[in-house]
Amino acid sequence: MRVGAWWTGLSPRRRALLGGLALVVAVAVAVAVAGVRLSRGVPKPVAGRPGAVLLVPGYGGGTTSLDELAARVRGTGRTATMVQLAGDGTGDLTVQARVLAGYVNRAIGAGSGPVTVIGYSAGGVVAWLWDVDFGGAAQAGMIITLGSPLNGARVAAVGAAYDPAECPVACQQLVPGSALLTGLQRSAQPRPPWLSLWSDNDQTVQPPDSARLAGAVNVPLQSVCPGVNIQHSQLPDDPLVDGIVLRTLGSGHVSAPAPGDCAALRTAGR
């Protein structure tokens, strides 16, 4: 019997019933396919493989200051990629977090293990936003921040108060107590292991311990090398900082260096 004849031979009631079942099956298949696509929308890192290192520049987006650190990371055999922030790097930090998410997804999609995100200055706030907004704990093995105003910077507050027109969106978001920073501090989102480094000599991020983050391994550099003088702009290429970063990458876990490690870390970072 041909299908057409079989179908027309059915009663209207049975045809309606079978048509409805076919529609339900089609919808279920479509939902299942959509679910698969959604699960594939955020790639998962490959366990056991070295993770790419992504370096996020500070306010203004200039990457030159991170070139030396990136080169040292590459010298260990790891992939180090500089994140190019949107626009001039002074726009909405939530947009910059989305840019970082794109870099992370591309790296993991290419076969990377859990990534390491290194954020310098305001780049550390971008890393924090990415972690909270994009579930960084599922994709990152660790986050390292260098002199990052995680609790805001007085210079941003002064700029916003003195001439708001000269304080772009990112500047406003870095004012202590801003809505963005308050939201981050209240977030209960799980974080990957986090190492926050800063220098007591920092004259740009004031107070310097604005870099302190609850739950992170917080390390003022002077606690490792007492008396060392490291300014904000020197953080990414200082031998002590680079030595700590390289040791952390090599060990695969975050821990605070001891004062007795000072000489060895500075040597490793040269």
Side-chain angles (χ1 to χ4, degrees):
M1 180 182 294
R2 290 179 298 177
V3 174
W6 170 80
W7 178 259
T8 55
L10 295 175
S11 68
R13 184 177 179 180
R14 288 196 174 184
R15 274 185 281 178
L17 176 62
L18 290 174
L21 288 173
L23 179 60
V24 169
V25 170
V27 171
V29 170
V31 169
V33 170
V36 170
R37 287 176 180 166
L38 182 61
S39 67
R40 291 178 180 174
V42 179
K44 294 182 179 180
V46 181
R49 285 192 185 176
V53 178
L54 302 172
L55 298 99
V56 187
Y59 185 83
T63 60
T64 304
S65 60
L66 289 165
D67 284 344
E68 188 169 335
L69 178 55
R72 292 185 183 281
V73 171
R74 294 183 188 112
T76 68
R78 300 283 288 273
T79 299
T81 301
M82 205 78 70
V83 174
Q84 302 291 331
L85 298 178
D88 62 359
T90 65
D92 191 340
L93 296 179
T94 60
V95 172
Q96 310 299 2
R98 194 174 304 122
V99 170
L100 174 57
Y103 276 82
V104 172
N105 290 341
R106 283 192 291 274
I108 294 177
S112 169
V115 301
T116 294
V117 176
I118 301 177
Y120 167 51
S121 195
V125 180
V126 173
W128 193 5
L129 277 164
W130 166 76
D131 173 48
V132 169
D133 292 347
F134 295 91
Q139 293 184 304
M142 67 180 75
I143 293 176
I144 301 173
T145 50
L146 313 176
S148 294
L150 304 178
N151 295 283
R154 289 175 186 160
V155 66
V158 171
Y162 179 72
D163 189 351
E166 294 299 319
C167 185
V169 176
C171 167
Q172 298 169 32
Q173 291 170 328
L174 293 174
V175 173
S178 71
L180 181 138
L181 292 176
T182 299
L184 286 174
Q185 290 154 4
R186 291 177 177 171
S187 171
Q189 184 80 16
R191 286 200 300 263
W194 192 303
L195 174 65
S196 179
L197 305 176
W198 72 87
S199 171
D200 291 339
N201 309 123
D202 196 323
Q203 297 299 311
T204 300
V205 173
Q206 284 286 325
D209 66 356
S210 175
R212 186 178 295 276
L213 180 64
V217 174
N218 294 289
V219 180
L221 296 171
Q222 285 72 21
S223 70
V224 183
C225 293
V228 69
N229 190 329
I230 303 173
Q231 299 298 320
H232 186 79
S233 62
Q234 298 171 318
L235 284 166
D237 55 13
D238 183 84
L240 174 59
V241 175
D242 290 0
I244 295 173
V245 170
L246 295 178
R247 189 188 76 167
T248 303
L249 290 174
S251 68
H253 70 274
V254 171
S255 61
D261 297 331
C262 176
L265 287 170
R266 297 188 77 177
T267 298
R270 287 193 175 94

